[in-house]
Amino acid sequence: MNINGIGIVFTRGRGIDCFENALKDGWQRPDEIEIKGRKSFVYQVGPQTMSDKSLLKKMRRADKLSKMAVLAAADALENSGIENINKKTIGIITATAFGAHVTTFDFLNDILDYGEANVSPTTFSNSVHNAAASYISSALNIQGPTLTVTQFFFSFHSALQLAKAWLDEKRCDYVLVGAVEQYGDVLGYIYGSKLMQATDGRIKPFNFNPAYSVPSEGAVFFLVSNEDSENVFCKVEDITTRHSRESGNPAPIRTDLNIIDTDGLLIDESVYMSSFSPEIPTAAYSPIFGSMMIGSAFNCASGALMLKKQLYCANPVSDNPRVINVLDETKNSGIEFIRCIRYNCLNEQAVIQLRAK
Amino acid sequence: MNKKILITGLGAISAAGNNAAETLASFRVAKRNAGQVTLFETPLRYPVFEVRGLPGEFYLEGQRTLGLALGAVDEAMKNARLNDLSDFRVGVCLGTTVASQLNDLEFYKSYRDTGSAAMDSVNRYLKGNPAEFISRRIKAKGPSLTVVNACSSGTDAIGAALSWLNNGLCDIAIAGGADEMNRIPLCGFGSLGIVSMDLCAPFDRDRKGLNLGEGAGVIILETKESAGKRGISSDLFLAGYGSSSDAYHLTAPHPEGTGLRTSIKKALTDAGITPGEICFVNAHGTATPDNDLVEGNVLADIFGTHLKMLSTKGFTGHTLGAAGGLEAVFTAAGLREGWIPASAGFENKDDAIPLIPLREKTNIIGRYALSTSLAFGGNNAAIVIGRL
């Protein structure tokens, strides 16, 4: 399966070029906000990034989650450079952990303020988990199978795995597969209650324990297919989920770089250290886009971009208290394989194996 | 013809019965177990289809959807004689709507009013992803995935599981859907003006909307190789799945039913059969004016006006994320039993719909049946179930 195009909406803007610049520029301080007397850092997607009036004109009532998803999906399609795709042959798989929780809480406001018989049907419609995928479908006139899936740690991996299955079964010729998450003050409160928040705004991916988080939001979509188009970023060689130590050692995978999903969403991220080998450099790009359950999709985009450009991008944050082999220099060099690694709270591992075209 | 993926177990829990046998008994005598909401206080007086007497072993505090799922999974696994999973990669793919949302009103009210709230409901939510929960509970080692495609979630979950099996990602898949009666969809569907104050009447001329329900429906899908290794067989198989989006509207189906039409044709193609080989259709049939009009016309176009067709939502209500799972179980059971129930609630033909659903319990002869789902967001899905 090839990655033919990528679309991204994140705290620093929109588009794969913007993301590439962010990877090269390194860490930037997140916004500091105050909600209900509590200060915290957060990476939010600003109104400038969401200002596309032509694409969003059909969805004025949609929430931010859906708009971010539509922008990223549309950009992935355009970025592929593939023209005249039959929209009936494109599938959509949207992964999310928390879905439209901000709109759900708006709906709860309706119930509390106006009573159960006087709630807004528009708010309810937009609070449904698959609203974002539905907007992608209608905004881009895509009529293939359209699915929304949810898990807390491996939703993107599961979506990518299913996209590959759909392509191999020929259920569709292309799949727009991606992930979206929105920040909201309730989620920020939950993160603050359950996780260690970075009081200086810096996620330190190689600290492992304690692990610091900065809540964030954004969307990434990939146009994937078995087609070898001009603009192919890389191949997705394999996707595995839920590999545990109890199930034995995984087959050795050749890699030139490990990208790890450490972002503070596990209280103790020491489990990642078991996936290193001294001779393979490791990178973690969560300080660029923040802490999200769907952060794997952003790291996968980083890997795909580096394989396409044959460019190693240095870690955005240099803290390395365990003195492991981290990627500390941005440089052009041959890269053939990149392994993207995520663990969940049960120490189960998911891996996306990328290979240069 | 796709006969590779067997259906080796069925499990169902809904207002029609706490297991498949009770459900069939209700169907046989056309018993409709509807009433007012008892699970929470509400001023809304819509009739609903609640599960009565959920067995205590499946009761989970604040996690009713998971309890319902557990009940259906337990029955399906026993039905499939699936005890020791250690030698198999077992995937779990379940659809839901309610269990995917953090929508606890007390938690939110406390946060809104005071800036803080107890984390109990958050902890339950974080541990309550249905597929992950079931997978861990039964110690499954395959993939797990929760599908949140609104009202087609259950059917789409079965479709995703079929893809897993076809692509060798697991040997056995537990697939279907589960959803509880909950305040949020009750208020939400009420606000849309599509909930009836009377018992629902799918495809009836005078239908006034849907009734909400709750439940869980689960099927065990299994490769022939896996079933052979376990020493079991089955006369049922999942022959095909098709899915397509309307790309039209967030809440209304396309007036021409384009997505539904495509989904059905894809499912038939996937199964390698023609429309004439379908002996009955278990329709989505929510009893809303729009759904039944579009669906009835599409079914008549594809299968002709003499199609044997029913909606089982007159027995279960609209169980949202569970509907596709429950209706897959009912479709499979109908094929196996050789009869299907009357389409409860139907009395008068709607002249705008060229089909008449079954008015009475009817014997069926044939090897294939279809189950359809239409959803918020314009999702449409269909599965073909076959009998050897």
Side-chain angles (χ1 to χ4, degrees):
Chain A
M1 179 169 75
N2 294 320
I3 294 178
N4 300 93
I6 302 176
I8 291 190
V9 173
F10 73 122
T11 183
R12 292 199 217 171
R14 173 183 169 190
I16 192 69
D17 293 341
C18 179
F19 190 64
E20 183 179 352
N21 290 335
L23 288 173
K24 289 175 179 169
D25 292 346
W27 180 76
Q28 286 182 6
R29 191 180 178 82
D31 298 329
E32 189 169 18
I33 60 169
E34 183 172 341
I35 296 173
K36 295 189 184 288
R38 283 185 288 266
K39 286 186 176 177
S40 62
F41 288 98
V42 58
Y43 286 111
Q44 286 182 285
V45 174
Q48 285 273 3
T49 303
M50 307 290 295
S51 64
D52 185 323
K53 287 193 172 58
S54 64
L55 193 59
L56 301 181
K57 69 181 178 187
K58 291 180 187 171
M59 44 185 296
R60 286 187 295 275
R61 293 178 175 182
D63 61 15
K64 187 176 184 181
L65 183 89
S66 292
K67 288 176 178 171
M68 289 191 294
V70 167
L71 292 175
D75 288 353
L77 203 54
E78 186 178 336
N79 179 247
S80 74
I82 304 172
E83 294 179 349
N84 303 320
I85 299 179
N86 179 352
K87 301 288 183 72
K88 291 181 178 174
T89 67
I90 305 176
I92 300 169
I93 307 178
T94 303
T96 184
F98 296 104
H101 61 94
V102 176
T103 308
T104 299
F105 294 128
D106 283 346
F107 190 69
L108 298 188
N109 280 332
D110 270 11
I111 292 175
L112 292 169
D113 293 337
Y114 306 115
E116 295 184 23
N118 300 296
V119 293
S120 159
T122 303
T123 308
F124 174 67
S125 305
N126 283 281
S127 75
V128 177
H129 256 59
N130 67 329
S134 170
Y135 279 117
I136 294 171
S137 163
S138 56
L140 305 180
N141 192 32
I142 291 171
Q143 294 164 48
T146 300
L147 205 63
T148 303
V149 301
T150 184
Q151 277 177 316
F152 289 114
F153 281 91
F154 298 157
S155 63
F156 174 67
H157 304 80
S158 298
L160 199 61
Q161 201 170 47
L162 188 60
K164 187 174 188 304
W166 279 4
L167 292 172
D168 291 346
E169 284 179 292
K170 301 195 187 326
R171 290 195 183 277
C172 28
D173 296 334
Y174 303 90
V175 182
L176 270 170
V177 55
V180 60
E181 216 67 81
Q182 184 178 1
Y183 172 80
D185 63 326
V186 185
L187 189 63
Y189 170 70
I190 293 169
Y191 274 30
S193 301
K194 300 186 78 69
L195 300 169
M196 189 77 79
Q197 298 217 293
T199 52
D200 58 356
R202 282 160 67 91
I203 298 170
K204 301 178 184 72
F206 304 109
N207 216 56
F208 301 117
N209 187 15
Y212 300 105
S213 65
V214 176
S216 65
E217 62 185 3
V220 190
F221 271 81
F222 302 84
L223 185 75
V224 295
S225 76
N226 287 326
E227 184 177 317
D228 194 10
S229 67
E230 181 77 16
N231 197 36
V232 165
F233 280 75
C234 65
K235 292 180 183 301
V236 180
E237 283 263 293
D238 196 20
I239 311 120
T240 58
T241 61
R242 300 191 62 202
H243 188 91
S244 63
R245 286 182 197 170
E246 290 73 29
S247 54
N249 292 322
I253 297 173
R254 187 183 153 191
T255 188
D256 300 311
L257 176 68
N258 287 317
I259 300 179
I260 58 172
D261 280 4
T262 44
D263 58 3
L265 293 184
L266 293 176
I267 293 168
D268 179 356
E269 296 180 324
S270 304
V271 64
Y272 280 90
M273 295 179 70
S274 64
S275 60
F276 302 153
S277 55
E279 63 274 17
I280 306 294
T282 297
Y285 298 106
S286 55
I288 298 288
F289 51 81
S291 307
M292 275 179 279
M293 287 291 185
I294 54 147
S296 309
F298 287 83
N299 275 324
C300 181
S302 308
L305 188 64
M306 288 192 282
L307 285 167
K308 182 178 182 183
K309 302 278 179 168
Q310 291 293 290
L311 174 74
Y312 283 100
C313 291
N315 277 293
V317 169
S318 56
D319 306 55
N320 185 12
R322 313 290 177 112
V323 199
I324 61 171
N325 180 2
V326 299
L327 187 60
D328 54 11
E329 184 188 1
T330 297
K331 60 183 179 187
N332 284 103
S333 182
I335 320 174
E336 189 173 1
F337 294 99
I338 290 180
R339 187 170 64 143
C340 305
I341 303 166
R342 185 169 189 78
Y343 281 92
N344 66 10
C345 52
L346 296 179
N347 291 347
E348 294 168 329
Q349 186 192 59
V351 171
I352 300 168
Q353 175 79 356
L354 303 176
R355 182 176 193 169
K357 181 183 170 186
Chain B
M1 191 183 308
N2 189 349
K3 291 183 182 174
K4 294 182 297 185
I5 307 302
L6 300 178
I7 298 173
T8 54
L10 304 174
I13 181 166
S14 72
N18 284 348
N19 53 52
E22 283 184 25
T23 302
L24 290 178
S26 291
F27 283 0
R28 199 181 292 274
V29 296
K31 190 177 175 192
R32 305 181 74 184
N33 299 318
Q36 295 295 310
V37 175
T38 65
L39 292 166
F40 48 88
E41 293 287 329
T42 177
L44 303 177
R45 308 310 296 164
Y46 306 118
V48 296
F49 287 81
E50 289 180 348
V51 171
R52 308 285 188 201
L54 177 69
E57 61 191 296
F58 306 127
Y59 177 78
L60 299 164
E61 176 71 35
Q63 294 178 306
R64 187 168 173 87
T65 298
L66 301 186
L68 294 166
L70 209 51
V73 168
D74 183 71
E75 183 190 7
M77 287 180 65
K78 283 175 179 159
N79 188 227
R81 288 189 280 142
L82 192 56
N83 307 312
D84 181 6
L85 309 187
S86 57
D87 289 340
F88 299 92
R89 292 169 303 155
V90 179
V92 179
C93 195
L94 294 176
T96 192
T97 65
V98 173
S100 64
Q101 288 188 322
L102 178 56
N103 64 11
D104 187 282
L105 199 59
E106 290 307 311
F107 162 80
Y108 181 66
K109 186 174 186 309
S110 174
Y111 169 78
R112 194 177 86 151
D113 292 349
T114 69
S116 67
M119 284 287 136
D120 301 5
S121 61
V122 174
N123 293 337
R124 281 197 298 269
Y125 168 69
L126 293 174
K127 290 176 183 170
N129 181 282
E132 288 183 350
F133 172 84
I134 293 293
S135 183
R136 284 171 193 157
R137 184 85 171 212
I138 63 172
K139 297 182 173 61
K141 292 188 295 191
S144 71
L145 185 63
T146 296
V147 173
V148 280
N149 250 24
C151 310
S152 65
S153 298
T155 303
D156 284 315
I158 291 168
L162 178 64
S163 290
W164 285 351
L165 290 158
N166 282 339
N167 285 273
L169 295 171
C170 57
D171 312 305
I172 298 168
I174 294 169
D179 251 328
E180 69 191 59
M181 183 61 56
N182 182 277
R183 188 186 313 278
I184 306 307
L186 188 71
C187 296
F189 280 94
S191 73
L192 287 163
I194 56 173
V195 183
S196 175
M197 293 301 289
D198 303 322
L199 281 184
C200 65
F203 298 102
D204 190 87
R205 179 191 66 198
D206 303 320
R207 64 191 181 277
K208 294 172 184 162
L210 58 81
N211 302 145
L212 284 175
E214 63 174 358
V218 166
I219 61 177
I220 309 290
L221 298 170
E222 186 161 6
T223 61
K224 274 188 169 177
E225 293 73 21
S226 169
K229 195 173 167 187
R230 295 201 303 120
I232 65 158
S233 62
S234 175
D235 56 343
L236 296 170
F237 59 100
L238 181 59
Y241 162 71
S243 170
S244 182
S245 173
D246 282 341
Y248 174 70
H249 193 270
L250 189 57
T251 57
H254 191 287
E256 304 299 320
T258 52
L260 177 63
R261 197 178 300 269
T262 304
S263 297
I264 293 170
K265 288 182 175 174
K266 281 182 178 177
L268 294 172
T269 303
D270 204 29
I273 62 169
T274 61
E277 292 176 84
I278 292 290
C279 65
F280 74 92
V281 172
N282 189 335
H284 190 59
T286 57
T288 63
D290 282 356
N291 179 90
D292 292 6
L293 178 66
V294 169
E295 189 176 20
N297 277 279
V298 168
L299 292 176
D301 275 359
I302 295 175
F303 298 101
T305 56
H306 297 292
L307 173 72
K308 288 178 179 167
M309 182 268 282
L310 77 160
S311 165
T312 46
K313 289 189 172 63
F315 293 108
T316 63
H318 190 352
T319 57
L320 306 179
L326 279 167
E327 287 155 26
V329 172
F330 302 158
T331 304
L335 271 178
R336 179 173 278 167
E337 296 287 321
W339 63 268
I340 47 178
S343 191
F346 177 80
E347 288 184 9
N348 299 303
K349 185 180 184 307
D350 182 343
D351 289 338
I353 301 174
L355 279 174
I356 300 175
L358 297 173
R359 293 179 188 274
E360 57 191 21
K361 175 177 166 284
T362 302
N363 291 331
I364 49 114
I365 299 169
R367 294 176 51 215
Y368 292 97
L370 182 88
S371 178
T372 54
S373 294
L374 292 80
F376 254 38
N379 293 316
N380 304 272
I383 53 171
V384 175
I385 292 176
R387 187 177 180 212
L388 294 170

